[in-house]
Amino acid sequence: GTTVVVDAKPTTLEAGEDGGFRLYVGEDRSNLDCRFYENKFPEIESVVMVNVRNIADMGAYVSLLEYNNIEGMILLSELSRRRIRSIHKLIRV
């Protein structure tokens, strides 16, 4: 990673596994943890913003954006009540 000084704090920019970048301010790497709610996990049947990481035969692996990017899986049966001919037409990475 590349380190620069911003407001007298070392800032590190690292390449992520998904091709994106992660920015860390200072030495504490948890400073960009982001959770919008007190609960660690969402309630059952609640609507959550996600980022699709990978599409598999059984469903889609996602990161829960509002819950500190914890990983989860959405099963095909949860995506649609109808028969899914192509999951790639239904969701995108």
Side-chain angles (χ1 to χ4, degrees):
T2 304
T3 302
V4 296
V5 176
V6 176
D7 293 331
K9 290 185 181 179
T11 303
T12 304
L13 181 67
E14 291 184 355
E17 297 173 3
D18 59 355
F21 291 95
R22 245 180 225 275
L23 179 71
Y24 298 103
V25 180
E27 298 299 322
D28 182 17
R29 293 188 177 258
S30 66
N31 59 6
L32 291 181
D33 288 349
C34 180
R35 189 168 355 143
F36 287 78
Y37 306 104
E38 282 186 40
N39 298 339
K40 186 173 181 178
F41 301 106
E43 298 292 325
I44 295 175
E45 299 293 325
S46 62
V47 177
V48 179
M49 294 290 294
V50 298
N51 185 10
V52 177
R53 296 291 186 181
N54 188 13
I55 299 174
D57 293 335
M58 300 271 305
Y61 291 97
V62 298
S63 291
L64 299 145
L65 300 177
E66 300 166 312
Y67 290 89
N68 205 20
N69 289 324
I70 58 174
E71 293 185 7
M73 182 179 187
I74 303 173
L75 297 173
L76 283 176
S77 60
E78 298 292 327
L79 291 172
S80 176
R81 292 180 188 221
R82 294 183 169 184
R83 182 173 180 268
I84 300 172
R85 292 179 185 263
S86 172
I87 190 169
H88 295 284
K89 290 183 180 179
L90 185 64
I91 57 175
R92 295 184 188 167
V93 176

